[in-house]
Each structure stands twice: as C-alpha cells, then as structure tokens.
Amino acid sequence: MLARLRTFSLLGIEALPVEVEVDVSDGALPKTVLVGLPEAAVKECTHRVERALVNSGFIRPQNRVVINLAPADLPKQAASFDLPITLGILAGSGQLASDRLQEYAVVGELALDGTMRPAKGALSMAITAAGADGLRGILVPGENAREAAVVAGIDVIAVSSLAQAVGFLTGQIEIEPTPPRLDEWFQTYARYEIDFADVRGQEMAKRAIVIAAAGGHNLLMLGPPGSGKTMLAKRLPTILPDLTAVESIETTRIYSAMGLLPAGQPLLATRPYRSPHHTISDAGLVGGGSTPTPGEISLSHNGVLFLDELPEFNRRTLEVLRQPLEDGTVTISRALASTTFPANFILIAALNPCPCGYRNDPRRACHCTLPQIERYMAKISGPLLDRIDIHLEVPAVPFRELSSGSPGTSSAQMREQVVAARAVQTERFEGSRTRLNAKMTSRQVRQHCKLDEECFNLLRASVNELGLSARAHDKVLRVARTIADLDRSASILPAHISEAINYRMLDRNLWS
C-alpha cells in the first residue's frame, strides 16, 4: 500500500517542500530502503523509526518498505523527517487511515520512546506551509509550536509524541492550533540588561555612536586597552529602534535554521549582537560549507557585528566583508547551488593604535618600533577602511570621570535622538527600497545632500588635503546628512560637514 505525506527540507534558511512516499509491500524478508539523496542523519532515521513504532504500541511491518523523498535531486538533511516517515509507514501498513494526511504537513524528530524532539527551522517551514496550496496546517513538536505560530494563515498543531500525532490525524483527539501572541512575546523578551548610563565619560564617543545608530553607519573605534570600546559597542543595540515584526521574523528565521534560538523563546525581540573571536574562519564569518549555512554576518542581520582587535583577524577573512557591507546580502556559491543570505548589519570595529596599545598615550610609554606598528596597521586594507563611515578615537577615561557619582548619558536619552532621526529618514525615503542614510545610492546622495557654497568649499578642501576616494567623499555626505537629521535641519550646514570630515581624519593620520 502506498502513502504520501508532505514535509519540508532546509536549504540554508529556506524551507523547500518535500513529498514523502512510503510503499509497504510483501517481501520474503523485512527490509527498509530509503532513497532520495538522504544525508547521514536522515539515513539513520530508519532505526529510530522502528523502535519508536514498537515502543509507542504499533506494529513494525514485517514487509519490504521503500521510502522515497521527492524531489530526488534535493539533498535531505536533519532529523525532521522522522515523524513523516513513521506516519507514512503506519498509513502504508494499514494502521493509520486519515484524510488529514493531505491537509497537514508534518515535521519532527522522534526519540526511541516515541516522544518528539524539536526540529531546526520550524519558522521557515511554517512560512513555506502558509504559502503552499491545499495545506491547512502543520504538525510540529511542542517545543517548536510557539515559534511556528508566529506565521499567520496556517494552523500550527503542537504534538508531543507519535501516539498523539496519530490520535489527531485519525480524529480521536482534537488539538487546538497554537495561538500567536506577538504583542505578549515582544513585551516579555524586548528588554536589555545593559545601558549606556553604565559607561563613565566618553561623551564624544557616545555622540559618534548616536550618529552611527541614527544613520546605520559603520564605526571604527581606536584607543588604548581599557578605554571602554567593548562596553560602548555592546550597548549600541540598546539605542536602536525596536525590531518590527517583519525584522524579527527575518532574524528569527536565521537563528531557527541554525538551532540558536534561546530555549523557550519563540522569536527574537531584541537586536542581535555578535562578537566573533579573531581566529574565526572565512566560512564562519560570512557563511559557507558544502551545504551553505549562514555565518556571523547573517546572525548579525538587523543588529550589530562587533570585531574586537581588528588587526588580529586574518586579513583575507576581513576582505570577504567588502561585498556584504555594500550590498546587505551575501551569496555563497557552490557547484550544485547558490544561496543568498541576508546580512544587513552595523559593523563596529575596535583596535589598539599599536601592538602594545599605548601609542600617543600621555601616561604610558609605547615600546613598539615603527616597523612593528606599520606591520600591525597594514593588516587592515584601505578598501575596507573606505567602507567604514566613522573613524573615532576613544581615549583613556580620566580618574575624575571614573569616580564621578553622576551617571552618564543613558540609552533612553540617546534612543530618543536616534528614533527621531530615523523618522525623518523614513519620510525622506518613502516609496524607495532605501531606509537609512548609510544606504543611499549615488543618485540619492546628489538629491538629498545638496551643499551651499561654503559647505562645498569646505568639502573640496578636505578631499584634496586628505586624499579621500570617491566612496569616502560620498560617505562624508551621508554622515553629514545624518548629523543634520539629528539637528532637525532640512539642509546640511558647514558645522555638519565639518563634523563628518573629522570622522574621516583618523585613518589618514595612522595609515598614511
């Protein structure tokens, strides 16, 4: 007897529809054959399925069982095929008869006792199921139910065991669809434990961080050890606007496909912050593998990627950031397929001015030789620096500021400025794909960053003096536009241009 069920297979972060065909026929010896490009985890499922059947009170067919996962040319991986294969065997052997098998997709890994284990990518699978013809709902493990319920237009049925899934499909028990509670989840999880008020001093650095957050600009911080660079970077997400529902789902899909969602949390409600170690590989940073998987830049989507001790990273690893910084996506190409992952993030980089960290520090002597400093700084290429809009010096904090009892500028105060500036940008770019000043096209720069004669002369003199590239010239204009938005100014004034130029001077002093 032949049985057919619908399920999904993850490819990157996308869930692709798969049809599970199970044929149970008479044979001299019991044998199970699995075809359809199954990976190792899927091949091993036949052993889990057999014991789960018996331990759940069902009869293991003593016949020839052929299981086909179609389409045959799509690699199948992960253990989420356990439940659909088991239900297919029950239907093919006559132990399960149900019209609901065609109305519901099925996803889930089985334990040997027949209980369900969570599956990766439940959110992506629910999104695909919602857009599929003829599907009323999807059966998922109980631990994935709230995550999948984020998607509207599909019934999410939470099952805790094989027996419960069979009971629902045969109509013996009714299970109410898991309701979406987006507002409740956002209120519960949209909280940060840190605040900019914790950072003593560094008010100039906080100003630059407000500009970076308001316009989506990349930022490089240079300063001696212990000056607060990491503290500042960690707190940047706290002043960004709240994630919208669409942004939350975009980011949650990536974490769900990687199995990185925090336990019990159905979706991400705060901006992601990622800080990889400097020994990370190219594939770890941008994504890769024989079957492409997202890297750190995709895990930072709609959030912040912090690269501490920038010169300690492999130069080749840093160079692969160039294209994602420009495009907001990264494409991983392999012989069999090409996969595109989202990578729209704010890059924050930090480094010391020299190997010992105390170059130009008035309180500590630097013992680095000039060749050592040159080798240290040469690890960061000019094209990468060109793509970083704001270069900022973070000096050591004086004792009087460290011991001061008054709190610094808080995240709430900084966030008010950021939200107001972003509201101006939303109105400016209405009807276009651009959302932030940092992402303006060259045409939009000419349209929205018009300069009067005084600003034009100031910019021309600075470009000639500093030797700025065409890209750096446009980035100065984008930063100036953001500064004007923070000042609620319709036009760019000389003070805005001057401040934006100051944020480009540091690299010319250190890398020239």
Side-chain angles (χ1 to χ4, degrees), residues 104 137-142 145 154-159 168 174-178:
Y104 290 86
I138 180 171
L139 271 69
V140 299
I154 192 82
D155 289 347
V156 177
I157 307 299
V159 292
F168 172 78
E174 290 299 328
I175 302 175
E176 287 297 317
T178 303

Side-chain angles (χ1 to χ4, degrees), residues 453-469:
E453 186 176 355
E454 184 179 356
C455 291
F456 178 80
N457 291 335
L458 181 60
L459 181 60
R460 180 177 60 185
S462 300
V463 167
N464 291 336
E465 265 184 52
L466 300 175
L468 298 180
S469 67

Side-chain angles (χ1 to χ4, degrees), residues 391 466 500-510:
H391 304 151
L466 300 175
I501 291 169
N502 282 334
Y503 291 134
R504 298 296 309 189
M505 295 183 72
L506 189 63
D507 64 316
R508 302 300 152 186
N509 294 335
L510 292 171

Side-chain angles (χ1 to χ4, degrees), residues 27-288:
L29 292 172
K31 185 177 182 181
T32 302
V33 179
L34 180 60
V35 296
L37 275 186
E39 301 287 349
V42 184
K43 288 178 181 177
E44 293 171 352
C45 82
T46 54
H47 305 294
R48 290 192 297 271
V49 164
E50 287 176 0
R51 300 321 306 163
L53 277 171
V54 173
N55 293 328
S56 298
F58 299 102
I59 301 171
R60 173 190 172 192
Q62 300 299 311
N63 299 312
R64 179 181 174 86
V65 180
V66 178
I67 304 162
N68 179 40
L69 307 177
D73 60 345
L74 174 69
K76 319 298 188 305
Q77 52 184 347
S80 59
F81 292 96
D82 288 9
L83 185 58
I85 287 174
T86 308
L87 293 174
I89 291 174
L90 289 174
S93 61
Q95 300 178 67
L96 168 63
S98 173
D99 294 332
R100 288 183 172 179
L101 282 175
Q102 299 306 313
E103 297 177 354
Y104 290 86
V106 182
V107 172
E109 179 184 347
L110 286 173
L112 296 185
D113 61 357
T115 55
M116 301 295 299
R117 287 187 172 138
K120 293 181 181 179
L123 178 55
S124 294
M125 294 176 185
I127 291 171
T128 304
D133 294 330
L135 277 183
R136 179 180 165 188
I138 180 171
L139 271 69
V140 299
E143 293 180 43
N144 295 123
R146 294 200 304 163
E147 172 193 336
V150 169
V151 182
I154 192 82
D155 289 347
V156 177
I157 307 299
V159 292
S160 60
S161 66
L162 172 60
Q164 190 179 23
V166 172
F168 172 78
L169 292 171
T170 57
Q172 293 176 345
I173 60 173
E174 290 299 328
I175 302 175
E176 287 297 317
T178 303
R181 296 190 176 95
L182 283 179
D183 292 339
E184 177 187 324
W185 294 335
F186 270 105
Q187 287 179 3
T188 304
Y189 299 112
R191 296 176 182 173
Y192 295 96
E193 302 297 328
I194 53 179
D195 194 284
F196 267 106
D198 305 331
V199 182
R200 303 291 183 183
Q202 302 297 11
E203 294 301 319
M204 293 297 292
K206 289 182 181 180
R207 163 68 175 174
I209 284 174
V210 167
I211 296 169
H217 302 287
N218 301 316
L219 172 69
L220 180 142
M221 294 185 287
L222 181 140
S227 57
K229 302 185 292 296
T230 302
M231 283 187 74
L232 291 165
K234 277 185 178 179
R235 285 155 178 77
L236 177 57
T238 67
I239 66 172
L240 293 172
D242 290 335
L243 280 174
T244 64
V246 172
E247 288 175 333
S248 176
I249 290 173
E250 283 178 357
T251 310
T252 303
R253 281 182 72 191
I254 302 168
Y255 279 73
S256 171
M258 297 289 287
L260 296 178
L261 270 182
Q265 186 171 329
L267 81 172
L268 292 178
T270 56
R271 300 272 174 181
Y273 170 84
R274 304 291 295 183
S275 179
H277 192 258
H278 60 76
T279 55
I280 192 170
S281 65
D282 301 4
L285 188 61
V286 300

